[in-house]
Amino acid sequence: MDVVIRNANLADGQQGVDVAIEQGRIVAVGPRLAVQAGREVDADGDLLSTPFVDAHFHMDATLSYGLPRVNASGTLLEGIALWGELKPHLTQQALIERALQYCDWAVARGLLAIRSHVDICDDRLLAVEALLEVKRRVAPYLDLQLVAFPQDGVLRAPNALINLKRAIGMGFDVVGGIPHFERTMADGAESVRILCEYAADQGLMVDMHCDESDDPMSRHIETLAYQSNRLGLHGRVTGSHLTSMHSMDNYYVSKLLPLMREAGVNAIANPLINITLQGRHDSYPKRRGMTRVPELLAAGIPVAFGHDCVMDPWYSLGSGDMLEVAHMGLHVAQMTGQEAMRDCFRAVTSTPAAILGLQGYGVAPGCHADLVLLDAADPVEAIRLRAARRMVMRRGKIIAESPRAHARLSLPGRPDSVNFRLNR
């Protein structure tokens, strides 16, 4: 064996588990495996998890905060306007450098798969070419899935549909859209039809920014589910954000959720962004804005969490830590029940992995040896602490390590030196 990890806890509740790895794959999982390896890692009762997966991100904009100016209001619309101001000044090299820096951040935090929406409305397709180059460079250590995203509206922006098809032809993976940003509700519905028909024809997945609004009458998710059903796209279609659902009346939602489940539509919430951008027109009471995560899960609809933005025109914060995303999602959705908190951990690991269609993802024989050892005993503790990543492994090779969290105190009336685990 190349590596064996001893005495680990798994996210499904198993404890004292060994994991044997050879040639980049897991070959055995069980207690006290009678194997020898070139390297042994003592998990010492810590959580061994599959890698984190970010199902919704904008890597073409990441780390561009302050360019060409700061978003003074912090609002969605000013962020969109800022991005429009910045696009003419983008260079391919700057896009590549910022994206690669972010990928380094991601890997250090155990984030080894990202679905990034990339704006295709610039006829130069600078961001498209840049992100394809980034995808090539990071392939050994990170899965980067690219969405052809018409930020300014596929019908509203000149050449957007042509550019989207160009991006797909160049190697992009997913068809994107933003129906609520089209000029009319009718145009929004028409954009969903056009894009879903194109995806069906090309055998591609769909992921649309859908109803990122406080307007309860923004109901493009209904159209997206209808087109998914009509075209047989079950399991290949995702609605991202869905924040208008927060403001819809309960009766309408009671009809919408079964339609989404029947159509096999996935949902992605972006807790850090939804809680800051939505409800801006409210005084009090003020809406949270994030979509109805517990209700979607109860209806049998897969729900993942995305980071969405890190230090860009829309969001001046963020670090690529998906445990921070899960932590915010847990609070905003009031998901503090034991199983609900585990759902939030799954929303940044196994659920987005399934939505992205990642192959060989898991802690089982035959799976890729892509693993994260967390300084926590279980998923709930990992979220509570935003636990340190003791080890990040990709295809059986350790690519990042950090120490456990320790503290040394000197307190009156206590021994001079007291060592303790912060998470115990």
Side-chain angles (χ1 to χ4, degrees):
M1 296 296 162
D2 298 326
V3 182
V4 62
I5 302 169
R6 302 284 188 187
N7 191 27
N9 292 351
L10 302 186
D12 63 5
Q14 294 184 69
Q15 298 182 352
V17 174
D18 294 350
V19 177
I21 296 161
E22 190 170 35
Q23 295 184 348
R25 289 190 179 268
I26 297 170
V27 296
V29 178
R32 296 180 296 278
L33 293 177
V35 296
Q36 293 184 335
R39 177 169 182 176
E40 290 204 1
V41 176
D42 183 8
D44 192 23
D46 277 342
L47 175 63
L48 185 67
S49 172
T50 48
F52 297 107
V53 179
D54 185 353
H56 188 104
F57 194 65
H58 292 265
M59 198 171 288
D60 53 347
T62 195
L63 306 188
S64 64
Y65 177 70
L67 300 174
R69 56 185 175 83
V70 169
N71 185 337
S73 67
T75 61
L76 173 62
L77 291 180
E78 185 175 355
I80 292 174
L82 270 172
W83 181 242
E85 293 174 25
L86 177 59
K87 275 196 288 189
H89 305 289
L90 292 173
T91 68
Q92 193 171 111
Q93 190 56 36
L95 285 163
I96 291 171
E97 289 174 0
R98 287 195 290 263
L100 288 174
Q101 182 179 354
Y102 182 77
C103 289
D104 289 347
W105 291 12
V107 169
R109 290 162 175 80
L111 171 54
L112 300 187
I114 299 173
R115 173 180 280 184
S116 177
H117 297 252
V118 180
D119 186 3
I120 53 82
C121 288
D122 179 354
D123 290 340
R124 299 171 298 170
L125 294 188
L126 283 181
V128 170
E129 293 178 351
L131 267 295
L132 285 169
E133 175 62 15
V134 171
K135 179 177 180 176
R136 184 189 68 79
R137 293 195 198 182
V138 304
Y141 56 91
L142 186 148
D143 291 307
L144 180 57
Q145 193 175 92
L146 300 176
V147 183
F149 175 49
Q151 172 79 70
D152 300 327
V154 75
L155 297 179
R156 183 173 179 172
N159 300 325
L161 184 58
I162 293 171
N163 290 344
L164 184 147
K165 292 179 179 180
R166 287 171 62 199
I168 295 295
M170 293 166 67
F172 270 45
D173 309 288
V174 184
V175 174
I178 186 167
H180 59 278
F181 198 65
E182 302 291 354
R183 292 198 179 277
T184 66
M185 295 290 281
D187 279 355
E190 179 67 2
S191 76
V192 173
R193 182 191 66 80
I194 290 169
L195 292 167
C196 285
E197 287 182 352
Y198 174 69
D201 181 65
Q202 298 295 310
L204 298 169
M205 292 184 286
V206 175
D207 188 341
M208 293 196 187
H209 286 59
C210 204
D211 304 323
E212 189 181 1
S213 166
D214 293 324
D215 179 5
M217 299 309 294
S218 184
R219 298 180 173 186
H220 295 294
I221 182 58
E222 179 183 81
T223 305
L224 185 61
Y226 169 77
Q227 295 296 348
S228 176
N229 227 357
R230 181 177 74 87
L231 297 165
L233 293 171
H234 304 80
R236 290 160 51 190
V237 174
T238 299
S240 288
H241 289 289
L242 305 179
T243 58
S244 70
M245 195 182 298
H246 185 95
S247 302
M248 292 173 181
D249 68 81
N250 291 334
Y251 178 72
Y252 176 72
V253 173
S254 74
K255 295 167 57 181
L256 175 62
L257 296 185
L259 176 63
M260 291 176 64
R261 180 179 180 181
E262 179 186 348
V265 173
N266 308 302
I268 297 174
N270 298 289
L272 295 170
I273 305 305
N274 298 152
I275 194 63
T276 48
L277 295 183
Q278 272 41 78
R280 287 289 183 130
H281 294 282
D282 295 351
S283 53
Y284 289 94
K286 185 180 284 286
R287 288 167 286 185
R288 291 185 181 91
M290 193 170 78
T291 194
R292 301 186 184 207
V293 175
E295 290 82 1
L296 287 160
L297 289 170
I301 297 164
V303 181
F305 290 159
H307 204 311
D308 200 4
C309 304
V310 171
M311 296 184 68
D312 67 12
W314 295 273
Y315 189 60
S316 61
L317 306 172
S319 64
D321 187 350
M322 294 308 293
L323 284 176
E324 182 182 3
V325 175
H327 188 269
M328 179 61 78
L330 183 157
H331 285 85
V332 176
Q334 299 181 335
M335 294 175 66
T336 51
Q338 289 299 305
E339 192 58 27
M341 290 190 285
R342 292 177 181 273
D343 281 334
C344 289
F345 189 82
R346 287 187 279 267
V348 295
T349 52
S350 57
T351 301
I355 290 173
L356 269 62
L358 298 182
Q359 300 298 308
Y361 182 95
V363 186
C367 292
H368 293 301
D370 297 348
L371 300 164
V372 181
L373 182 60
L374 293 156
D375 188 12
D378 56 51
V380 173
E381 189 172 65
I383 294 173
R384 178 175 70 85
L385 298 167
R386 273 81 84 210
R389 284 64 166 169
R390 289 182 52 194
M391 178 193 75
V392 179
M393 176 179 284
R394 169 77 168 183
R395 302 298 195 264
K397 295 182 179 180
I398 297 173
I399 58 176
E401 291 183 275
S402 63
R404 277 177 158 169
H406 285 73
R408 180 175 291 273
L409 300 181
S410 181
L411 299 174
R414 301 288 301 278
D416 287 341
S417 298
V418 179
N419 288 313
F420 66 96
R421 286 283 299 282
L422 289 176
N423 61 339
R424 292 289 187 267

